[in-house]
Amino acid sequence: MTESSTTDAAASTELESRYGAPRRSVPVKSQRWMIIGALILAFGALVYVTVGNTVGQLTHNDVGYTITSDTEASVDFEVSKDLDATVQCMVHVLDNSYAVVGSRVVTIGPQEGSNPADRSEYYRTDVRTESRGVTGVVDSCWDVD
């Protein structure tokens, strides 16, 4: 053994005792399989969260409104719910200062269908008002059960 290799070995031993043994790198093939596994798990979690949140969720969207007269308005809206659920929605007609000038609770019963696309339906309701409204909205919807 030469003097330089002895010095290198001593320096290496000294560094290992001070900082620990050098890390071994993970083989490229193992890294690739770990990345593929992580991507599969992430995709599975995404599908689980997406499907889990849409099943049984109650949503409503304003579609439109018609101001019929100074004392009446029609409000069009869409409700997505479970097919066998009964829900109620609070519909408001507002004036230009966003004050409620008319409101109505609409009850929506179970509906027919078996596809997930059948969960959504459009509705129109007439609302009596105290004064002329300028817009109609669905404030909220809730399960009656």
Side-chain angles (χ1 to χ4, degrees), residues 84-139:
D84 58 346
T86 301
V87 301
Q88 290 184 327
C89 295
M90 176 62 75
V91 179
H92 289 304
V93 176
L94 309 173
D95 66 6
N96 58 1
S97 64
Y98 301 107
V100 176
V101 293
S103 64
R104 181 175 183 182
V105 175
V106 179
T107 302
I108 301 168
Q111 60 202 46
E112 294 181 15
S114 59
N115 288 335
D118 295 335
R119 294 181 65 237
S120 295
E121 284 197 11
Y122 293 92
Y123 300 95
R124 171 176 282 173
T125 187
D126 295 326
V127 180
R128 292 211 167 267
T129 61
E130 297 173 356
S131 60
R132 188 165 188 85
V134 295
T135 189
V137 297
V138 177
D139 181 60

Side-chain angles (χ1 to χ4, degrees), residues 27-46:
V28 174
K29 190 173 183 179
S30 295
Q31 288 177 354
R32 187 175 302 136
W33 280 110
M34 287 189 289
I35 291 170
I36 290 171
L39 289 173
I40 289 171
L41 286 174
F43 181 73
L46 179 69

Side-chain angles (χ1 to χ4, degrees), residues 31-79:
Q31 288 177 354
R32 187 175 302 136
W33 280 110
M34 287 189 289
I35 291 170
I36 290 171
L39 289 173
I40 289 171
L41 286 174
F43 181 73
L46 179 69
V47 168
Y48 176 76
V49 168
T50 302
V51 171
N53 284 341
T54 58
V55 174
Q57 187 176 22
L58 174 62
T59 61
H60 59 86
N61 294 315
D62 298 326
V63 176
Y65 62 92
T66 304
I67 305 301
T68 311
S69 68
D70 286 346
T71 59
E72 190 173 35
S74 295
V75 179
D76 300 321
F77 58 99
E78 176 188 20
V79 174

